[in-house]
Structure formats: structure tokens, C-alpha cells
Amino acid sequence: MDKLSIYRKYIQDILTTYASWGNPKDGLETQLIFDCDRDHYQWLEIGWEGAVRVYSCVMHFDIRDGKIWLQRNMTDLDPAEELVELGVPREDIILGLQPPYKRKYTDYGVA
């Protein structure tokens, strides 16, 4: 399996596992969006809390130029470290949720 196929599998496995752990509140639905052609992967919670519409991206990954970009993480989980444990080199993980000037201070790639 080539590197991109492996990265796609890891991201999908992580999102599927994380999304299965919690029970969304009544009226909310968990959705996993996997766009393997354009390499966008999201975990969403959508629905209604009373009269309030909820549309929340819980976690979002992209793959760009052979690197995994963590764009959003609204959990206490650490998917970047889980990717490292799976064998992804730290320089292939970009914390897109961090401002570009801060990325050099992380243990991950800077893009």
C-alpha cells in the first residue's frame, strides 16, 4: 500500500473510532464525511438542541502534498500523537489549527 493510501486509512480509522466512543445528545446525529478523492475527512455533529440548530465540526483532517493536516480538533483527544504511534513521521503531520508562526514550536511539521 502506498503512503497516501495508508494515511487515508489511518485518518478514517481514527475518526471512526473517536466518533463511536461518545453518545451524541438527543437530537444530534454524528456524521463522518470521507472525501477520498479530494482528501478531506470530517467528524460532524448536526441536529437540534431545543430550538437551536447545531452544526459542529468536531474534527477535520486534510491530506495536502503528502502530509496530514489536522485542521480542527474540538476534543481532548490527541490524534496527532496517535498518528505518530501508528508510524507517521512527525514531519508529515501539520497542525493546521495552529497559526503558521507557532508551528515551528510544535513537535510536528511546519509546511
Side-chain angles (χ1 to χ4, degrees):
M1 202 181 300
D2 69 331
K3 178 172 116 171
L4 287 181
S5 296
I6 292 168
Y7 286 3
R8 288 177 184 123
K9 180 182 178 342
Y10 288 167
I11 291 167
Q12 290 176 46
D13 289 350
I14 286 171
L15 288 174
T16 300
T17 299
Y18 287 176
S20 73
W21 285 346
N23 292 326
K25 298 177 186 174
D26 287 340
L28 295 183
E29 174 187 358
T30 298
Q31 290 187 358
L32 295 175
I33 312 296
F34 298 155
D35 179 352
C36 300
D37 291 331
R38 293 166 198 84
D39 284 320
H40 304 295
Y41 307 88
Q42 295 183 347
W43 163 18
L44 304 174
E45 291 199 354
I46 62 171
W48 291 90
E49 285 184 321
V52 177
R53 178 69 174 160
V54 175
Y55 181 89
S56 176
C57 178
V58 180
M59 197 171 289
H60 176 172
F61 291 94
D62 291 323
I63 300 176
R64 295 183 185 170
D65 300 320
K67 298 189 184 293
I68 298 172
W69 286 69
L70 178 58
Q71 304 287 21
R72 184 172 181 92
N73 180 7
M74 299 302 292
T75 73
D76 293 332
L77 303 169
D78 192 351
E81 272 308 304
E82 187 163 340
L83 288 165
V84 170
E85 290 171 12
L86 290 168
V88 177
R90 288 183 179 278
E91 60 269 13
D92 278 4
I93 302 168
I94 310 297
L95 300 181
L97 47 80
Q98 291 286 344
Y101 72 90
K102 287 187 178 181
R103 292 182 197 149
K104 64 184 174 186
Y105 303 112
T106 72
D107 289 334
Y108 303 100
V110 295

